[in-house]
């Protein structure tokens, strides 16, 4: 099967890391087309996945922008659409991995008459997208042969926004558990970060208001003095005002000695292993939340905000802890209970690791995606469904 994958960004966010693993399975028969250059291109090249940067300049539509901005940007998109349509004639399908990739892919697929696949990594809700952008996304996605939703939560929001339920299959992100199961010597890392003797709460997300880093900072003031927070991740999509806000919050609450911002790191696994607890604090529904599963695979006690897919990934009290989104006191309570009852926390984390190893295998994810693609792209099935 020959696939033309499309992704709007050159940065390595969760949707791109997911695509990296999927495209690896098609490395001899695919092309990944990016709409901007960045470190994601290098990662694809390291895996020997064919990649091309297709757009000459970045496309300007924010998630919150309205219909007019969306339509105006269509003008900017025309050369790109033309290029994608031309390229796609060599492939069995166009596989859009992001919203702008969906728009470009849907129009190109009409021109080249190649089927469209959409991998939905977003929750199409008002908290995440303007009404106009939700409408455009649903309209385009309903042209697809298959919509792969990264969770039941993203599937439900898609249908709620007008998406055709018959198109959707839920496939969770997959991981290679062996990579997370390795023993890591963390004492040196702990001391190099000045964290010896501290109870470390790790937060692994890009810095963005909806990822709720501010909730963990607020929670720290209700935790024991020995608790420190380590933030791993950078503002990938221009959220500089939020970065400043976080720094001011740390200053105002007098928490400078208890908070560290490490920026974007590639050594997520050793950093997770270093943590006594990993906290996920999104204040809007999380579409999937790779970091939640990664933390469980690392055998770390995991506390997540109870909305979106987090409630599908964590069974509270069994494989982790769920606290109400935005509730700093409840988060502090869960952190404190892990600190005070480490044996119980370790037992839950060990069971979560075992469950996550079984439930989020990359081999299973890739097999499911391949099967869905075969089912939906096969001419026989398509004709039968159309009739
Ligand atoms: N990540 C990373 N380095 C960082 C912070 C995060 O490699 O400094 C990775 C993290 O391990 C996870 C991904 O980025 O695999 C983020 O995916 P997630 O689904 O949690 O959130 P997204 O940012 O895609 O909404
Ligand atoms: C997006 C979502 C995130 C999800 C990732 C992979 O980046 O924000 O929740 O884990 O895609 O599907």
């Amino acid at each position: 099967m020959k696939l033309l994958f499309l992704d709007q960004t050159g940065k390595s966010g969760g949707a791109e890391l997911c695509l990296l693993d999927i495209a690896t399975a098609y490395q001899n028969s695919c092309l990944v087309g990016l709409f901007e250059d960045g470190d994601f291109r290098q990662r694809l090249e390291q895996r020997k996945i064919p990649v091309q940067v297709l757009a000459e300049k970045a496309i300007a539509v924010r998630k919150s922008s309205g219909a007019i901005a969306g339509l105006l940007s269509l003008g900017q998109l025309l050369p790109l659409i033309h290029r994608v349509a031309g390229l796609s004639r060599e492939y069995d399908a166009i596989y859009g991995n992001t919203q702008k990739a969906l728009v470009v892919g849907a129009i190109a697929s009409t021109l080249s008459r190649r089927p469209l696949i959409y991998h939905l990594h977003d929750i199409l809700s008002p908290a995440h997208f303007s009404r106009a952008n939700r409408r455009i996304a649903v309209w385009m996605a309903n042209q697809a042969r298959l919509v792969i939703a990264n969770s039941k939560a993203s599937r439900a929001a898609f249908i709620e926004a007008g998406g055709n339920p018959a198109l959707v299959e839920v496939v969770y992100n997959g991981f290679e558990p062996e990579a997370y199961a390795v023993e890591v010597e963390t004492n040196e890392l702990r001391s190099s970060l000045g964290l010896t003797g501290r109870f470390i709460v790790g937060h692994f997300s890009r810095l963005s208001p909806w990822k709720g880093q501010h909730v963990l900072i607020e929670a720290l003031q209700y935790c024991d003095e020995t608790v420190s927070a380590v933030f791993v991740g950078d503002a990938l999509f221009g959220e500089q005002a939020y970065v400043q806000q976080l720094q001011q919050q740390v200053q105002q609450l007098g928490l400078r000695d208890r908070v560290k911002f490490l920026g974007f790191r590639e050594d997520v696994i050793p950093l997770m292993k270093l943590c006594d607890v990993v906290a996920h604090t999104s204040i809007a529904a999380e579409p999937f939340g790779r970091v939640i599963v990664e933390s469980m695979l690392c055998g770390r006690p995991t506390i997540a905000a109870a909305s979106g897919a987090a409630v599908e990934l964590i069974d509270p009290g069994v494989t982790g802890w769920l606290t109400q989104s935005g509730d700093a006191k409840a988060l502090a309570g869960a952190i404190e209970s892990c600190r005070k009852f480490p044996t119980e926390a370790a037992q839950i984390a060990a069971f979560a690791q075992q469950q996550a190893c079984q439930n989020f295998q990359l081999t299973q994810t890739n097999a499911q995606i391949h099967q869905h693609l075969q089912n939906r792209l096969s001419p026989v099935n398509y004709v039968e469904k159309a009739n």
Side-chain angles (χ1 to χ4, degrees):
M1 194 181 305
K2 292 184 75 187
L3 297 173
L4 174 58
F5 294 103
L6 298 178
D7 194 292
Q8 71 201 42
T9 176
K11 297 187 180 122
S12 300
E16 289 67 39
L17 295 175
C18 176
L19 174 60
L20 188 61
D21 286 333
I22 293 168
T24 303
Y26 296 93
Q27 69 193 147
N28 297 321
S29 58
C30 78
L31 173 66
V32 179
L34 303 180
F35 301 173
E36 67 174 23
D37 202 357
D39 72 294
F40 181 44
R41 176 182 55 78
Q42 288 157 4
R43 288 192 192 226
L44 288 158
E45 284 170 352
Q46 277 159 13
R47 294 253 190 125
K48 305 212 176 329
I49 299 167
V51 52
Q52 274 183 37
V53 178
L54 302 176
E56 260 141 44
K57 54 179 188 175
I59 304 152
V61 196
R62 288 191 315 275
K63 281 182 174 182
S64 57
S65 55
I68 297 174
L71 287 174
L72 281 177
S73 74
L74 265 184
Q76 305 170 26
L77 294 181
L78 285 177
L80 180 60
I81 290 168
H82 191 67
R83 186 144 183 220
V84 169
L87 277 172
S88 67
R89 293 195 172 90
E90 305 294 317
Y91 294 87
D92 296 319
I94 300 174
Y95 188 121
N97 197 54
T98 56
Q99 299 266 326
K100 291 175 207 167
L102 167 67
V103 173
V104 170
I107 303 172
S109 98
T110 315
L111 296 173
S112 66
R113 300 176 153 266
R114 307 318 288 162
L116 174 71
I117 309 295
Y118 178 40
H119 199 142
L120 172 66
H121 294 280
D122 293 307
I123 299 255
L124 292 177
S125 68
H128 285 283
F129 293 94
S130 67
R131 187 178 151 90
N133 279 358
R134 290 199 309 277
R135 282 190 164 183
I136 293 174
V138 166
W139 177 38
M140 300 284 175
N142 280 345
Q143 321 291 316
R145 198 72 77 81
L146 164 68
V147 175
I148 300 167
N150 65 352
S151 65
K152 293 178 192 159
S154 63
R155 176 185 191 272
F158 175 68
I159 295 168
E160 167 91 30
N164 177 356
L167 297 178
V168 194
E169 302 286 356
V170 173
V171 181
Y172 287 141
N173 279 219
F175 301 82
E176 291 176 294
E178 318 74 53
Y180 296 84
V182 289
E183 287 294 321
V184 177
E185 161 47 47
T186 52
N187 283 342
E188 209 173 295
L189 189 54
R190 218 173 235 268
S191 108
S192 71
L193 294 170
L195 290 166
T196 305
R198 310 293 304 167
F199 185 89
I200 305 171
V201 183
H203 193 292
F204 296 77
S205 287
R206 57 200 164 84
L207 303 179
S208 177
W210 77 270
K211 290 291 187 180
Q213 279 85 359
H214 59 279
V215 182
L216 175 54
I217 296 174
E218 194 188 334
L220 267 192
Q221 54 180 338
Y222 308 118
C223 292
D224 187 77
E225 286 280 324
T226 54
V227 179
S228 285
V230 173
F231 291 94
V232 180
D234 210 346
L236 292 188
F237 303 109
E239 299 93 339
Q240 287 312 321
Y242 184 59
V243 175
Q244 277 184 3
Q245 181 192 315
L246 292 175
Q247 279 157 356
Q248 276 166 10
Q249 186 190 12
V250 170
Q251 197 76 27
Q252 278 160 7
L253 296 176
L255 294 169
R256 265 184 57 194
D257 297 341
R258 294 171 61 189
V259 175
K260 291 202 184 292
F261 291 100
L262 303 188
F264 185 87
R265 300 274 297 233
E266 291 201 5
D267 54 342
V268 163
I269 296 174
L271 286 166
M272 271 189 181
K273 299 260 176 184
L274 175 82
C275 297
D276 295 292
V277 166
V278 171
H280 166 273
T281 58
S282 295
I283 55 167
E286 183 70 53
F288 177 75
R290 290 174 62 88
V291 291
I292 299 171
V293 177
E294 289 168 341
S295 166
M296 293 196 283
L297 289 171
C298 283
R300 299 293 83 204
T302 309
I303 306 169
S307 73
V311 302
E312 297 166 47
L313 305 181
I314 289 187
D315 187 359
V318 180
T319 57
W321 291 259
L322 290 175
T323 57
Q324 179 129 23
S325 294
D327 187 340
K329 284 194 174 150
L331 174 59
I335 294 169
E336 281 298 294
S337 102
C338 291
R339 189 182 67 80
K340 288 181 190 151
F341 305 105
T343 310
E344 287 78 357
Q347 277 166 357
I348 289 180
F351 185 63
Q353 186 176 33
Q354 198 187 313
Q355 292 289 297
C357 286
Q358 278 173 25
N359 299 336
F360 302 100
Q361 287 272 355
L362 180 60
T363 46
Q364 284 167 13
T365 295
N366 281 348
Q368 285 168 8
I369 288 183
H370 192 69
Q371 191 62 57
H372 291 314
L373 289 172
Q374 275 191 327
N375 291 345
R376 305 274 182 149
L377 292 177
S378 132
V380 177
N381 289 349
Y382 186 58
V383 171
E384 277 170 6
K385 286 220 165 65
N387 293 337

